[in-house]
Amino acid sequence: MTGGFIRHSFKRQLFWIFLSVTLTLVILGGVLTIQGFQARIRSAHEKTDEGQEKVINSIIVKILDLSEKTLEEVRENEMVMRALSGEEANPQTVYAALYEASTDVRSFAVVELFSEGRCLFSTGQVGASGHLPEGYSILREASEHPGEAVYAVNSGHQTAYGPELVIAMKIVGKPKAGYALVRISGENVEDALKGSINARDGFIFANSHFRPVCSVGTAEDGKDLELIRDNLFNGKKYTEGSTDNIYISEAGHGLLCIYITPPAFEPAAVRTGYQIVGAMVILSVVICLAAATVMSGLVTKPLNILSAAMRHFRKGDFDTKIEIDRDDEFGQLATGFNKMTSQLKATINERVETQKRLNEARIEMMQAQLNPHFLYNTLDTIKWVAKANQVPEVATLSASLAGLLRTSISADQFILLKNELETVRNYCDIQRIRFDDSFDLNIRVSSELENLYVPKLILQPLVENSIIHGFEGMSHGHIGIDACREGDRLRLTITDNGRGISDDMIRALENDDPEALKGHLGFNNVNTIIRIYFGKEYGVGAERPEYGGTRITVTLPVLHSIPVL
């Protein structure tokens, strides 16, 4: 239904083609452009995120390395060792030593010295940590690994930013156990990361159980950490259900850095891109409709002119011409139409003229017959009277002339070649009596060729021309008739030893000039009839052989039956 609706209008076909191509390019190009742009921006965004993540991780690692270095320096300080061992020590000297050892970490951490679960010295507020029993988890683990730094998230000491990160090391064992602790609060971590995280990013510093030390930026509400925990607990990819970019890396010692960035493209931006593609599609429909209208007008206008001209031509107006001032295919089509009408008109006029000439030739031949029915009956009577009175010449003349007239009055336009040759023999019998046997006739034609069809009365006028014009003033003449087949053509040759045909007559036959042949009725009529029947490639030709005389060649198609003309 739709296909028929489109096929019945050239304008709709153009519109459909333009629309299909344009929409394919616009939609496909638009979608690929958006997807490619997204991929490129996303790739650049990921590279930026990776670089930023490395910067943040390096800050966290530096904090942890400085903290461990501080614990090592505290452990190696003699004054601190004496104070934790229970020996008498000047507190001011111990504090001086502690402050000197914690120079690198005091900007983000508090260093404390514990003995028997009690805080003895602190770079922060003294005794702020309160009492830590020997069985406290981090102290117990530090006791089991003396001289090594042990990390733990202290949820028992909360700040406004969450629990603290505690790094502990057992630095003395006898007579009392002594420990050095470095406490790092979420506030201190956030201060250290200032300038490395923008307002749209988030950062979480947590242990391996995803207990946070601090949550910065967009991660402060804890939703991202909760989503990560739930996904991992349920065996899913930790980013599932989140539109943000989440990067998790290890900072060592069972601590994790979680960096969160927004997507490179906001959904609104992507929707805007597709809305632009949709607007381009609508605009393309309008442009395609306008282009189809203009193009169909450019095409259908000359076609309508051509159609109108063809209608006039069908009605018989052969003077119809198309006037289109264009150099394109339509201009060539109009030129071709004009040439076709001119050539067809010329062909029709030629056929009319040819038919006119054929009719004139037939009239002339009929006029030359001189009431053949009456003559034929009279000659038949003369023949029997001559035989009765013993006059053979008169009988021969009468019989031969009767044969000629019988062929002449026949309604058949085509006869067998052997019958045509018999007509020539009858004619020559009459002329030999007339001219006292001053010439002879020799016919050399095979029986196979004698059974081909030829137009009647095409040889007798040519033989007559040889006798009347060629043998004038000669005592003895010779006429030969030969026939041969060359492919699909039959060539009949009439030769004589007469005085030869003139150059003017040869040119007249070659040019088919009726005016020049007017005085030679035989040549003119035979040549005209053959060309009317079969075309200009057939007809009568003449030449003068080197040995003298004339050679007349009649070219005909090979006909095994009477043709339908």
Side-chain angles (χ1 to χ4, degrees):
M1 182 73 178
T2 304
F5 175 75
I6 294 174
R7 286 196 301 272
H8 292 162
S9 170
F10 181 68
K11 177 180 177 181
R12 287 193 287 269
Q13 292 179 29
L14 279 178
F15 173 68
W16 178 251
I17 294 172
F18 289 163
L19 187 64
S20 300
V21 174
T22 304
L23 290 186
T24 300
L25 294 177
V26 170
I27 294 175
L28 187 61
V31 171
L32 290 178
T33 299
I34 293 174
Q35 295 293 334
F37 187 66
Q38 279 185 284
R40 186 170 182 179
I41 295 298
R42 189 179 294 113
S43 176
H45 192 70
E46 288 176 356
K47 289 182 180 179
T48 303
D49 289 347
E50 289 173 0
Q52 192 66 23
E53 181 191 13
K54 290 180 180 178
V55 172
I56 295 172
N57 286 356
S58 66
I59 295 173
I60 297 299
V61 171
K62 182 178 180 181
I63 289 174
L64 300 180
D65 289 344
L66 290 175
S67 299
E68 288 194 20
K69 178 184 176 184
T70 298
L71 292 176
E72 291 288 342
E73 292 180 356
V74 169
R75 185 169 68 88
E76 293 173 358
N77 189 282
E78 183 180 352
M79 187 61 66
V80 172
M81 295 290 288
R82 289 176 59 187
L84 292 177
S85 298
E87 300 179 11
E88 291 186 4
N90 187 344
Q92 292 182 351
T93 304
V94 175
Y95 270 114
L98 183 61
Y99 269 84
E100 182 180 359
S102 63
T103 301
D104 294 335
V105 299
R106 282 203 306 273
S107 61
F108 58 80
V110 174
V111 181
E112 297 177 336
L113 299 177
F114 276 81
S115 179
E116 296 181 338
R118 186 166 58 89
C119 179
L120 301 179
F121 301 95
S122 174
T123 59
Q125 185 178 354
V126 179
S129 300
H131 180 76
L132 290 177
E134 290 287 340
Y136 191 68
S137 61
I138 190 170
L139 296 183
R140 185 175 65 252
E141 187 176 353
S143 178
E144 294 173 355
H145 301 86
E148 295 182 10
V150 178
Y151 291 76
V153 176
N154 184 14
S155 57
H157 189 269
Q158 296 276 352
T159 67
Y161 290 86
E164 294 178 324
L165 174 65
V166 179
I167 308 173
M169 179 182 288
K170 185 178 181 180
I171 59 177
V172 67
K174 295 179 179 180
K176 298 178 181 180
Y179 302 89
L181 274 67
V182 175
R183 296 180 183 273
I184 304 172
S185 68
E187 181 181 5
N188 297 136
V189 175
E190 184 175 354
D191 289 341
L193 295 176
K194 280 183 178 178
S196 300
I197 299 178
N198 60 46
R200 300 182 64 214
D201 297 343
F203 177 75
I204 301 172
F205 187 37
N207 65 3
S208 58
H209 301 290
F210 293 94
R211 293 178 60 190
V213 174
C214 70
S215 299
V216 182
T218 58
E220 287 182 359
D221 57 6
K223 292 181 179 179
D224 292 314
L225 186 60
E226 182 180 358
L227 175 66
I228 293 171
R229 272 199 300 257
D230 291 344
N231 284 339
L232 292 176
F233 180 77
N234 294 311
K236 301 177 182 178
K237 188 177 181 180
Y238 64 85
T239 57
E240 187 171 336
S242 176
T243 58
D244 294 331
N245 302 313
I246 302 175
Y247 307 92
I248 299 178
S249 59
E250 295 183 0
H253 312 290
L255 299 175
L256 301 175
C257 294
I258 304 173
Y259 183 46
I260 303 168
T261 62
F265 270 98
E266 295 292 340
V270 177
R271 283 196 301 272
T272 301
Y274 285 112
Q275 288 171 356
I276 293 174
V277 174
M280 292 176 65
V281 168
I282 296 174
L283 182 61
S284 298
V285 172
V286 176
I287 293 176
C288 288
L289 182 60
T293 301
V294 174
M295 287 295 296
S296 63
L298 291 175
V299 174
T300 56
K301 182 178 179 181
L303 288 179
N304 291 334
I305 295 175
L306 178 61
S307 178
M310 292 177 68
R311 283 196 300 271
H312 287 292
F313 185 77
R314 284 198 303 268
K315 293 178 181 179
D317 185 2
F318 298 137
D319 293 322
T320 300
K321 293 291 184 291
I322 298 177
E323 301 295 337
I324 297 181
D325 187 16
R326 296 175 64 157
D327 297 327
D328 55 9
E329 288 81 357
F330 291 112
Q332 297 172 10
L333 187 61
T335 302
F337 178 84
N338 293 338
K339 288 182 178 180
M340 180 194 70
T341 56
S342 299
Q343 292 173 356
L344 188 56
K345 181 180 179 181
T347 300
I348 292 174
N349 291 337
E350 183 180 353
R351 289 181 67 88
V352 171
E353 181 64 26
T354 300
Q355 188 62 39
K356 180 180 177 181
R357 291 169 58 191
L358 178 59
N359 293 338
E360 291 175 350
R362 286 175 176 173
I363 291 172
E364 290 177 357
M365 293 181 71
M366 289 176 66
Q367 289 174 342
Q369 291 175 3
L370 300 176
N371 197 358
H373 286 284
F374 172 73
L375 288 176
Y376 175 74
N377 294 330
T378 302
L379 288 171
D380 190 53
T381 302
I382 294 173
K383 181 185 73 171
W384 291 110
V385 171
K387 284 186 176 182
N389 291 281
Q390 302 294 318
V391 185
E393 291 82 359
V394 175
T396 300
L397 284 171
S398 300
S400 299
L401 184 56
L404 283 172
L405 291 176
R406 187 165 50 250
T407 301
S408 175
I409 66 175
S410 171
D412 297 329
Q413 298 298 315
F414 290 84
I415 60 175
L416 293 173
L417 178 57
K418 63 182 178 181
N419 295 336
E420 179 69 11
L421 294 174
E422 184 62 29
T423 300
V424 171
R425 290 188 184 95
N426 290 331
Y427 174 74
C428 288
D429 288 342
I430 295 172
Q431 295 293 19
R432 273 198 296 269
I433 293 173
R434 176 185 174 187
F435 292 106
D436 295 328
D437 291 325
S438 61
F439 70 91
D440 61 72
L441 173 65
N442 185 10
I443 298 177
R444 296 176 294 274
V445 178
S446 67
S447 58
E448 179 185 358
L449 297 181
E450 282 185 337
N451 290 314
L452 297 178
Y453 283 88
V454 297
K456 73 175 181 179
L457 296 177
I458 59 169
L459 295 181
Q460 181 271 327
L462 303 179
V463 172
E464 179 181 357
N465 185 76
S466 295
I467 296 172
I468 301 301
H469 299 286
F471 296 154
E472 185 177 356
M474 293 180 62
S475 60
H476 185 75
H478 173 76
I479 299 175
I481 299 178
D482 298 276
C484 67
R485 179 174 178 174
E486 297 177 0
D488 59 350
R489 296 190 177 190
L490 174 65
R491 296 196 186 276
L492 303 175
T493 306
I494 303 171
T495 58
D496 65 55
N497 61 345
R499 59 183 183 177
I501 191 171
S502 67
D503 292 334
D504 292 339
M505 185 61 62
I506 293 175
R507 284 194 296 269
L509 286 171
E510 290 176 350
N511 299 326
D512 191 20
D513 186 356
E515 293 297 324
L517 295 172
K518 270 188 175 181
H520 297 77
L521 185 62
F523 276 139
N524 189 22
N525 286 348
V526 171
N527 196 44
T528 299
I529 289 173
I530 292 175
R531 294 199 173 189
I532 288 174
Y533 280 146
F534 307 116
K536 292 186 177 181
E537 63 269 26
Y538 301 96
V540 179
E543 60 179 326
R544 282 196 311 274
E546 294 181 359
Y547 52 80
T550 301
R551 180 187 293 124
I552 305 295
T553 302
V554 180
T555 304
L556 299 169
V558 174
L559 301 175
H560 294 281
S561 61
I562 298 176
V564 179
L565 301 175

